[in-house]
Amino acid sequence: MKRLALTVIALLLAAPAQADTLVDNVNGITLDKDGKVVRFTGMVIGTDGKVKQLLDRKDKRPERPDFKEDGKGRTLIPGMIDAHGHLMGLGLSLMLLDLSDTRSLAEAQATIKKYADENPELPWIIGRGWNQEKWGLGRFPTAADLDAVVPDRPVWLERVDGHAGWANSAAMTAAKITAATKAPEGGRIEMVDGKPAGVFVDAAVALIDSAKPKPLARDLDRAFLAAQQQLLAQGITAIADMGTTIQEWQAYRRAGDKHQLAIRILSYGGDIDNMALIAGPGPTPWLYDDKLRMVGVKLYLDGALGSRGAWLKAPYADAPGQKGLPLLTPAQLRNKMVRASMDKFQVAIHAIGDAANAEALDAITDLTADLPGERRWRIEHAQIVDPADIPRFAKLGVIASMQPIHQPSDRLMAEARLGPDRLKGAYAWRSMENAGVRLAFGSDVPVESANPFPGIAAAISRTDAQGQPFGGWHPEEAVSRETALDGFTRSAAYAAFAEDRLGTLMPGMRADFLIVDTDLLLASPEDIRKMVPLETWIGGYRFYKKGG
């Protein structure tokens, strides 16, 4: 909390960049508006926090800059833009029980018991991050597994992907869940011997969520500042917040009003209701010196692969009776898309399975002719796509908003869920690029860490942190370093209608950049994976310095 307080104080004292700030003696790298690499050794920043000039070695420097920063020969790159994350989800995960590092059910149980024992005042034990695949459990966990360690209080734990939850008996009692409880449309209740087993998938999560205590405004304010501090340390200067609620938006506004808003938030409302509550008749203007804007709406079309909620064209290889769950009917999806688009909100559709991606493309096809203008439809994740549907992304101008770090995390699970014959369109970045599809890259934080550098390493190598599998998993789908950098900068900005101010360091753009110790266009995947920002600057102001 002491570090968090110091960060808040620093933000309160933050001042605009001075006239003719000079950042010199750097190995500067950026992409221009066409995606071509531009190298430079110095950068001049104006009073408005925008890049004024890029300098080569031979170029004359300002004689009397008001501020000069010596880069000491280190590498300067554009700030990373996470094209798909959950900002408040990250913040709350930093405040609640975290199971993401547990490697077995027994280890998870020990972690849960320890947390419960250390927090006897909490009426509910709430957390996230469990993954039965990582545990090698071969099944979903059950309420009995939780009752064994916390029998006296409700426990509710969100799965790592956010598409399932795990409850103990006390939580199910508090939510009035019985054997007669029916799963809502688009949801599934796992059953054992005719009774709810304790795991609720996709829309069924709401059955427990509605009973648990809601975070207060002060909790959201603390969560936001905690998330922001972590993102700054990881080199994230802007994030597309997917599924913003009215309560979360209010927290962002409170931070902006108090001059505590450092990172740039590109907000997509959590379905139509939140979109309309927050922005009303259309996307908001840029607020707080280009720090906050509601751009569009996030719609869920299916669930996740790990919980078998992703909607597939053929049954799961490891669950022959299941194809996943469409969360919207065709009419519901099209109605929501029309409602948003008529008011010029951008539509981002969560689609993981090949059936969900095909349905999203069908809906876009149906609506494009009747909705003129540049819509920049987005499909979020696009993890499992029928190869026959990939050219349709390009034909319709659909942005593939993908998360490279999911591939090494999901590799073994994807093989089990799909079988070897259905992996051709899985995490198919190169196939998308070759078809002419615009790729925007992100992390899906807190499902994965927001650290962009392991994501870049995965994008160019198709390997995990241990370099496995040797040679890469389906290495033909790896992309170049330039494409990976583009996905986390220029194209991530384009994907949110922000390319006129963010994503590159060309003159006139916001001076959002990182100082790092590695040239990521020359480094190995192993070295890129280890990269950490030494400094994070936003709008020409340094908001983070490692060890500072």
Side-chain angles (χ1 to χ4, degrees):
M1 286 303 299
K2 182 179 178 181
R3 290 186 61 190
L4 183 58
L6 291 174
T7 299
V8 172
I9 291 170
L11 292 173
L12 286 167
L13 296 176
Q18 299 298 311
D20 287 342
T21 294
L22 173 63
V23 182
D24 206 3
N25 187 22
V26 295
N27 171 36
I29 301 170
T30 187
L31 303 174
D32 66 13
K33 63 181 181 63
D34 298 317
K36 295 179 180 178
V37 175
V38 175
R39 288 187 176 267
F40 55 93
T41 61
M43 181 169 62
V44 181
I45 305 168
T47 56
D48 55 3
K50 297 178 181 178
V51 178
K52 197 170 183 179
Q53 186 180 6
L54 296 181
L55 303 169
D56 202 352
R57 293 190 185 280
K58 64 181 181 297
D59 292 328
K60 184 178 179 181
R61 269 52 180 167
E63 291 184 4
R64 295 183 180 179
D66 289 316
F67 180 78
K68 182 177 180 180
E69 175 78 7
D70 183 358
K72 301 177 181 178
R74 297 172 298 184
T75 297
L76 186 156
I77 59 176
M80 297 288 110
I81 301 175
D82 192 319
H84 182 114
H86 306 279
L87 183 54
M88 200 60 76
L90 168 60
L92 291 171
S93 74
L94 295 172
M95 296 166 57
L96 301 175
L97 172 60
D98 182 10
L99 298 175
S100 58
D101 290 334
T102 57
R103 293 162 294 183
S104 67
L105 174 60
E107 187 177 337
Q109 288 173 311
T111 301
I112 295 162
K113 185 178 188 319
K114 182 173 184 288
Y115 182 88
D117 291 344
E118 291 175 348
N119 296 276
E121 78 288 355
L122 294 178
W124 281 56
I125 302 301
I126 298 173
R128 69 171 309 281
W130 60 273
N131 186 348
Q132 82 283 3
E133 297 296 325
K134 186 176 178 180
W135 296 343
L137 194 59
R139 61 173 174 84
F140 278 124
T142 65
D145 295 324
L146 285 176
D147 294 343
V149 291
V150 186
D152 58 332
R153 278 180 286 171
V155 180
W156 178 235
L157 306 168
E158 192 177 89
R159 193 180 186 277
V160 64
D161 55 20
H163 286 270
W166 176 24
N168 70 348
S169 296
M172 290 193 287
T173 298
K176 298 180 172 56
I177 302 296
T178 69
T181 301
K182 301 297 183 185
E185 185 177 351
R188 186 174 77 246
I189 300 174
E190 291 292 313
M191 306 292 285
V192 172
D193 297 329
K195 298 179 181 179
V199 166
F200 299 77
V201 179
D202 287 316
V205 164
L207 297 172
I208 306 287
D209 264 346
S210 61
K212 75 177 184 182
K214 302 295 186 290
L216 302 174
R218 62 174 174 267
D219 299 324
L220 295 178
D221 292 347
R222 285 181 57 216
F224 166 70
L225 291 174
Q228 178 172 258
Q229 179 182 341
Q230 179 158 312
L231 293 175
L232 289 169
Q234 293 175 321
I236 302 298
T237 57
I239 184 169
D241 187 44
M242 286 291 166
T244 309
T245 66
I246 181 64
Q247 294 83 6
E248 292 165 355
W249 177 265
Q250 289 169 337
Y252 305 154
R253 290 298 305 262
R254 288 192 294 272
D257 290 343
K258 295 175 184 177
H259 306 288
Q260 295 174 354
L261 189 56
I263 60 170
R264 306 190 192 277
I265 304 172
L266 308 159
S267 173
Y268 290 77
D271 217 306
I272 297 296
D273 290 346
N274 281 294
M275 177 198 81
L277 277 171
I278 292 167
T284 69
W286 288 94
L287 304 170
Y288 308 112
D289 204 24
D290 292 352
K291 293 293 181 66
L292 179 64
R293 184 182 186 229
M294 170 150 282
V295 185
V297 64
K298 162 81 174 298
L299 305 176
Y300 280 98
L301 187 49
D302 71 343
L305 207 58
S307 53
R308 297 190 187 88
W311 183 22
L312 302 179
K313 291 184 176 182
Y316 281 85
D318 58 355
Q322 298 181 29
K323 287 187 178 182
L325 301 165
L327 302 182
L328 296 171
T329 66
Q332 288 171 333
L333 174 62
R334 286 157 178 78
N335 286 341
K336 289 175 183 287
M337 291 170 68
V338 169
R339 167 69 178 83
S341 295
M342 290 295 287
D343 287 334
K344 296 183 169 51
F345 288 99
Q346 187 186 16
V347 175
I349 304 171
H350 167 114
I352 288 182
D354 51 8
N357 277 277
E359 171 61 15
L361 293 168
D362 287 346
I364 291 169
T365 300
D366 292 345
L367 299 182
T368 293
D370 296 326
L371 294 170
E374 189 177 18
R375 296 293 165 189
R376 293 193 195 174
W377 308 102
R378 296 176 55 139
I379 292 183
E380 306 301 313
H381 308 304
Q383 285 182 9
I384 312 299
V385 180
D386 185 330
D389 286 327
I390 289 177
R392 299 175 66 197
F393 278 77
K395 181 180 179 182
L396 295 166
V398 176
I399 296 162
S401 173
M402 305 176 78
Q403 299 75 46
I405 198 62
H406 281 333
Q407 179 268 304
S409 295
D410 293 356
R411 170 173 62 91
L412 297 178
M413 181 265 292
E415 291 175 349
R417 295 286 187 270
L418 300 172
D421 298 332
R422 294 163 62 191
L423 296 172
K424 182 68 175 172
Y427 314 87
W429 316 315
R430 175 66 71 85
S431 292
M432 289 279 192
E433 182 183 28
N434 288 346
V437 181
R438 193 78 177 255
L439 296 172
F441 285 156
S443 67
D444 203 14
V445 64
V447 175
E448 302 278 0
S449 167
N451 185 348
F453 299 110
I456 291 174
I460 67 175
S461 70
R462 307 279 290 192
T463 59
D464 63 16
Q466 289 72 46
Q468 295 298 319
F470 180 77
W473 188 75
H474 294 270
E476 70 277 4
E477 293 295 349
V479 296
S480 69
R481 287 164 174 76
E482 291 80 4
T483 295
L485 176 60
D486 181 272
F488 278 102
T489 56
R490 187 182 71 108
S491 285
Y494 174 88
F497 283 96
E499 77 278 8
D500 61 337
R501 62 200 69 202
L502 307 180
T504 80
L505 294 173
M506 299 305 292
M509 305 295 281
R510 288 289 182 181
D512 300 351
F513 61 92
L514 311 178
I515 302 291
V516 295
D517 57 5
T518 305
D519 186 328
L520 61 77
L521 295 184
L522 301 176
S524 68
E526 293 74 22
D527 288 340
I528 292 173
R529 196 174 280 114
K530 298 172 187 174
M531 286 175 62
V532 293
L534 304 175
E535 299 180 11
T536 301
W537 294 60
I538 300 176
Y541 185 85
R542 180 169 50 209
F543 280 93
Y544 168 81
K545 185 173 184 179
K546 185 182 179 186

